[in-house]
Amino acid sequence: MSTRMKDIARDLGVSVITISKVLRNHPDVGDETRERVLARVKELDYQPNLAARSLVTGRTYLIGLVVPDLLHPFFAEIAKSISDALKENGYYLIVSSSEEDPDLEEQEINHLLARRLDALIVASCRSTVDLFFRIQKQQTPYVLIDRSLPGLSANFVGVDDEAVGMLGTGHLIDIGCKRIAHIRGAETSPSIRRMEGYKKALAQAGLKANGDYIISEGKGDVGTKQRGAEAMSQLLRLKPRPDGVFCFNDPLAMGAMNCALDEGLAIPDDIAVIGCGNLHYDDSLRIPLSSIDQHSRRIGEEAARIALGILNSKVPPKPESVVLQPELIVRGSTRRAAPVRARARS
């Protein structure tokens, strides 16, 4: 017969509840007792019966994550961070991709809800809030990450995207760029606010935003490297061509840099490029990429903290919004020997 939790409890002279708390990493257990339990669990190779535990507690100890792209390192790092935090608390993560398709996102969320998951964490590609109102009616807790939705009072964790746009564009201005282009993302809150920051930084420096220098990429965070190259190719045909490019994310910036280098331009002297995400691609790039750090790991940690806080609270807490401040990371793609211009900052 397989070992049961009550067998371990009887062997050690403790309650089944104590064994359960140790396995869930609950803090309400002394160190000595915790060590005894874990040693016995390891000795017997005990595996909890999750189905039985769910019947008793009414929980699945599963939390769902829906993101636009599982291959995008930004979302992969967030997923790992969430998973690490959940494991420490006895929960596990199920990850799904919407591929930046609102209909597929709804299907994936419906499938996760059908599994009776305890909570959801979503980076939504939707422009409407009806699906989340339905989730609320089902009383399934959820946390939005990276992308917020207007008209929805919900838990949210992300970066100050207007500050991202101002920081990236302002850095290009500081190194002497005067014709600054922007390769933007889809019509989601990060893309909209980063473009607002881009325009605001130009205005504060006395520069005009040229519509020809703004290239829209409709698929946002999916398959962006090739589309970054295509966007840069379009920009390089302009006269005069840009001397700096702020990209919505790092994969777009990588594609843009590859195109510029293939055209024989020098980065950053002929054209400077900065991305967003700080995805640690340096070893694979011909020119190390400057980027805006969104603190992806902390986004995951905060999302997990909020989700667990809701699940451990007897009374549903008020929605919490965590907005992180971005950080400029300067590397070779913008490291010009140019004087810094004094300019107003907000």
Side-chain angles (χ1 to χ4, degrees), residues 23 31 42 68 71 88 102 126 147 160 169 175 184 198 220 248 263 313 320 327:
L23 294 176
D31 292 341
K42 183 177 181 180
L71 298 178
E88 292 179 0
R126 304 180 68 80
R147 304 160 177 207
D160 183 338
T169 308
I175 64 171
R184 60 169 303 193
Y198 158 78
F248 171 73
E263 290 292 325
S313 177
E320 183 177 350
E327 180 182 356

Side-chain angles (χ1 to χ4, degrees), residues 201-222:
L202 291 178
Q204 287 187 357
L207 301 174
K208 291 185 178 180
N210 185 336
D212 291 337
Y213 287 172
I214 300 174
I215 307 294
S216 296
E217 292 298 329
K219 290 295 284 183
D221 287 298
V222 176

